[in-house]
Structure formats: structure tokens, C-alpha cells
Amino acid sequence: MSLVQIFSIIMVIAGALGIYGALQLDIVYNNIVGPAVMPLIYSIALLALVAVYFAKGRNAPKIEWNMMLKPPKSDAWIFYILNIVMFILLYLLGTIPSILVFSVGTSLCLKRMNLVKTIVFSALWVAALYFIFVVYLGVQFSTGILIK
């Protein structure tokens, strides 16, 4: 089994948990789109992308366990750890703070942008998501147990 396939299996578990969690929420709420729709869309999209990624990983080299902690493989571990952190924050803080923390954390940990650009881009990204889903589509974002 290749490293790509192992990471794909981990993400299938995350996607399945996302679907399970979304199905615990209302899909329709007061004749509008409910809070389950956004996580359901993300989770289904994740599963579809992971299926393609898993299939592409069939031809990848078999895993050597010592290579997993060396760059660029270590960047993949950081990304998956940030995904786990995002799932925990979704439960504790809700959608908006968790997406903001995930976006800033991903950019900083993977060294894609400097701090100011990261914060500006993340704030714009979260504002765009809020406008599209909450304002335009009427989707309610989930709030975490610490915010309720």
C-alpha cells in the first residue's frame, strides 16, 4: 500500500464522520436550507476527491515507513493533523472560527504566505463563505458547544 492510499483511508474516515455528523442536523429548517447542508456537501466532496486520489495512488511506490517523517511527506502529516484539529474545533467552536483557524494554520504551517497575507486571505475566505452560505443561500452554520 502506498502513502497516498493510507492518507486516503484516513480521509475516508474523516468524510464518513462528517456525513454522520451532518445527518444529525436538520437538512431543512423553517423552509430554508438547514445547518446540515454545508458539512454534508464538504464531506461528500471530500469522499469523491479521496476516491480519485486513492485510485491514482495505486501506481505510487510502496511505503517505506522511515520516509514519512522527512519533507515533503512531513507536510502531509501537518495537513492531516490540521484537519483533525478542524474537526475538533467544529465541535467546540463552530464553523466560522474553525475554518478561520484551519486556513491560518494551514498557510502558516506549510509556509505558503507570510502572517499578514495569511490573516487577510483567511478573513476574506471566511467572509466569502459566510456571504455565500449564510446570507445568499440561507444556510445556518453550526455553533460549537462552547459558544451556545
Side-chain angles (χ1 to χ4, degrees):
M1 185 172 278
S2 70
L3 185 60
V4 171
Q5 291 175 319
I6 290 172
F7 283 135
S8 296
I9 292 169
I10 292 169
M11 293 314 296
V12 164
I13 294 168
L17 288 173
I19 290 173
Y20 174 77
L23 293 177
Q24 305 304 310
L25 303 171
D26 295 326
I27 293 177
V28 177
Y29 181 79
N30 289 339
N31 295 325
I32 59 171
V33 178
V37 172
M38 184 179 162
L40 195 59
I41 290 171
Y42 273 132
S43 297
I44 291 170
L46 176 66
L47 290 177
L49 291 172
V50 166
V52 171
Y53 202 58
F54 185 85
K56 289 175 82 175
R58 287 183 308 193
N59 298 328
K62 299 297 180 206
I63 191 167
E64 294 177 24
W65 292 100
N66 62 351
M67 74 179 193
M68 290 176 54
L69 300 176
K70 297 177 185 172
K73 303 294 187 229
S74 58
D75 289 347
W77 281 109
I78 292 170
F79 180 73
Y80 286 104
I81 290 168
L82 284 170
N83 274 289
I84 292 168
V85 169
M86 182 176 163
F87 284 123
I88 294 168
L89 289 177
L90 275 169
Y91 179 72
L92 296 175
L93 300 176
T95 304
I96 296 294
S98 64
I99 291 175
L100 185 61
V101 168
F102 179 78
S103 182
V104 170
T106 302
S107 294
L108 290 177
C109 287
L110 300 179
K111 299 173 182 75
R112 300 293 183 235
M113 293 186 262
N114 65 31
L115 181 62
V116 174
K117 287 182 183 178
T118 296
I119 292 171
V120 169
F121 174 77
S122 298
L124 290 173
W125 169 246
V126 170
L129 284 175
Y130 183 84
F131 178 78
I132 291 168
F133 283 97
V134 176
V135 175
Y136 183 69
L137 295 174
V139 175
Q140 294 179 337
F141 281 166
S142 63
T143 55
I145 63 169
L146 297 179
I147 294 180
K148 290 182 179 179

